Amino acid sequence: MRRALGLIVLISALAACQSTAEPYSKSDSVEYDYTPIYFADVKATPTERKKCEAVGVVLQNVGIMGIDICHQDLPDSGKICRDSDECLSECMADESVKVGKRAVGQCSLYETNYGCLSRVENGRVEPVLCVD
């Protein structure tokens, strides 16, 4: 009797853990009021710099080319994602998850990501890509 009761409790607990969430669809995207600011040349002009500083920060000498970029925090940063199509920038993987494994990531804080990072695409962790 005790064994049967334990089995019923276990089955009930497992049933409660079942997900009732709808499967992800790429049409579930959210629109954000965000306009990226790009500079016409490698270095920002004083006018471009002022426009950027109103909404972000000018980063100078970024990457191997030493370009200026307008660094703006993205409104969807930190959002859970399964693919970069769900983000304004990219869906970043947690460093601890192995390449090829199923995973969810988080939308990047920045529009332009430099360094060596893994992304989540189609629900799986991609190999590390280094961008400079």
Side-chain angles (χ1 to χ4, degrees):
M1 180 68 172
R2 192 179 265 191
R3 195 174 199 183
L5 183 59
L7 186 57
I8 291 170
V9 170
L10 177 63
I11 291 170
S12 297
L14 289 174
C17 293
Q18 297 250 340
S19 173
T20 58
E22 292 294 314
Y24 163 74
S25 166
K26 287 196 177 189
S27 64
D28 294 342
S29 64
V30 175
E31 294 296 321
Y32 292 98
D33 183 21
Y34 167 76
T35 304
I37 296 174
Y38 300 109
F39 302 140
D41 205 348
V42 174
K43 299 297 175 191
T45 65
T47 303
E48 290 172 328
R49 180 178 291 280
K50 283 182 184 176
K51 184 176 179 183
C52 172
E53 288 171 348
V55 295
V57 176
V58 176
L59 298 181
Q60 296 179 296
N61 301 317
V62 177
I64 199 167
M65 298 293 291
I67 63 172
D68 290 353
I69 64 169
C70 185
H71 171 76
Q72 298 169 262
D73 293 346
L74 297 176
D76 67 347
S77 66
K79 180 184 103 176
I80 300 299
C81 55
R82 292 170 193 85
D83 193 275
S84 290
D85 288 347
E86 298 174 49
C87 303
L88 291 169
S89 180
E90 298 175 283
C91 184
M92 308 306 289
D94 186 285
E95 293 175 6
S96 65
V97 183
K98 294 185 180 191
V99 172
K101 296 291 183 186
R102 289 199 142 302
V104 293
Q106 289 188 323
C107 293
S108 174
L109 178 62
Y110 313 114
E111 182 176 4
T112 306
N113 297 289
Y114 289 95
C116 297
L117 306 162
S118 287
R119 289 145 182 85
V120 177
E121 299 298 339
N122 297 311
R124 294 196 182 273
V125 176
E126 296 281 307
V128 172
L129 177 65
C130 297
V131 178
D132 184 31

